[in-house]
């Protein structure tokens, strides 16, 4: 599961839009042709007609604005409620998530020296998410938005890391609702696609 790609796919599926998955293959981002599209040589990159977009949250915002406006909020105030959780993911959750993702399955002696610190930080961020989602169905508004899409695949991995952690019952409830969405199952690769050929 490539979480950045999965989020973009989920927006397309939520808006019932077809798309091309040729960017999935590992290694093709290092070609000269790909670097002309995306100078970072990373995924995802979206091509929509003549427009080339990269950076996963920029892609999410674009896809939602063009194909699923209810996914971003109806007003500037609502959009702040949606986008702050996307920014929280990048600014607070992503660093410990990446660190734990890299080392969680390694033997303790093979883990980075700051693994315990990063794990503690990850748990602190998950506690914030758990507290916020208590009594709510969705993170930002009273309906599913790109905040839930952006967080969904990352939080799923965090909850599955083989590390000691407390129960986050509210976050786990929310994640179960995300997991139950057919588009999410397709986007993370646990269910074959009906919009694109199975990878």
């Amino acid at each position: 599961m490539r979480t950045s790609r999965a989020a973009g796919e989920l927006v397309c599926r939520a808006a019932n839009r077809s798309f091309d998955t040729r960017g999935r293959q590992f290694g093709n981002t290092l070609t000269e042709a790909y670097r002309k599209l995306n100078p970072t040589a990373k995924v995802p990159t979206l091509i929509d007609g003549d427009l080339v977009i990269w950076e996963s949250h920029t892609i999410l915002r674009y896809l939602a604005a063009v194909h699923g406006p209810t996914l971003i909020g109806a007003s500037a105030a609502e959009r702040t409620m949606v986008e702050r959780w996307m920014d929280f993911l990048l600014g607070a959750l992503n660093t410990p998530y990446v660190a734990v993702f890299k080392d969680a399955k390694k033997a303790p002696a093979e883990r980075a020296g700051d693994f315990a610190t990063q794990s503690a930080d990850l748990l602190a961020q998950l506690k914030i998410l758990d507290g916020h989602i208590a009594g709510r169905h969705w993170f930002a508004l009273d309906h599913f938005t790109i905040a839930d899409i952006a967080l969904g695949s990352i939080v799923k991995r965090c909850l599955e890391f083989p590390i000691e952690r407390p129960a986050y019952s509210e976050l786990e409830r929310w994640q179960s609702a995300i997991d139950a969405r057919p588009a999410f199952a397709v986007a993370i690769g646990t269910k074959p696609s009906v919009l694109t050929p199975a990878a």
Side-chain angles (χ1 to χ4, degrees), residues 19-167:
F19 56 92
D20 192 325
T21 59
R22 286 176 291 181
R24 284 183 168 188
Q25 296 84 5
F26 291 100
N28 70 346
T29 61
L30 302 178
T31 66
E32 184 65 25
Y34 191 85
R35 285 182 186 275
K36 287 181 179 178
L37 297 173
N38 183 338
T40 70
K42 297 178 180 178
V43 294
T45 298
L46 174 74
I47 302 171
D48 189 7
D50 293 332
L51 181 63
V52 177
I53 311 168
W54 43 276
E55 287 300 334
S56 58
H57 287 184
T58 301
I59 290 171
L60 290 183
R61 291 179 178 104
Y62 170 78
L63 289 172
V66 173
H67 301 298
T70 61
L71 294 170
I72 56 171
S75 66
E78 286 191 351
R79 286 193 292 277
T80 69
M81 296 175 193
V82 172
E83 293 188 12
R84 66 185 172 195
W85 288 107
M86 299 169 73
D87 291 341
F88 171 86
L89 190 163
L90 293 177
L93 182 61
N94 196 59
T95 296
Y97 158 73
V98 170
V100 174
F101 172 73
K102 287 179 179 177
D103 283 358
K105 293 184 179 180
K106 294 179 181 177
E110 298 174 356
R111 291 173 175 168
D114 66 344
F115 182 79
T117 301
Q118 295 288 0
S119 295
D121 189 13
L122 179 68
L123 298 185
Q125 306 315 319
L126 293 177
K127 183 177 180 180
I128 290 170
L129 294 172
D130 188 63
H132 176 77
I133 201 64
R136 303 170 185 263
H137 292 294
W138 308 110
F139 261 92
L141 305 176
D142 61 359
H143 61 273
F144 183 71
T145 68
I146 56 175
D148 302 291
I149 291 173
L151 287 165
S153 55
I154 299 288
V155 169
K156 181 175 180 65
R157 272 193 169 162
C158 290
L159 294 174
E160 293 174 348
F161 285 148
I163 60 172
E164 187 175 342
R165 65 169 179 83

Side-chain angles (χ1 to χ4, degrees), residues 1-7 9-10 13 24 149 152-154 156-157 160 175 178-192:
M1 170 176 61
R2 290 302 297 261
T3 53
S4 55
R5 175 184 50 79
E9 287 191 21
L10 189 51
R13 294 180 194 287
R24 284 183 168 188
I149 291 173
S153 55
I154 299 288
K156 181 175 180 65
R157 272 193 169 162
E160 293 174 348
Q175 188 64 55
I178 296 292
D179 290 348
R181 298 179 74 88
F184 186 75
V186 174
I188 65 169
T190 59
K191 179 180 175 182

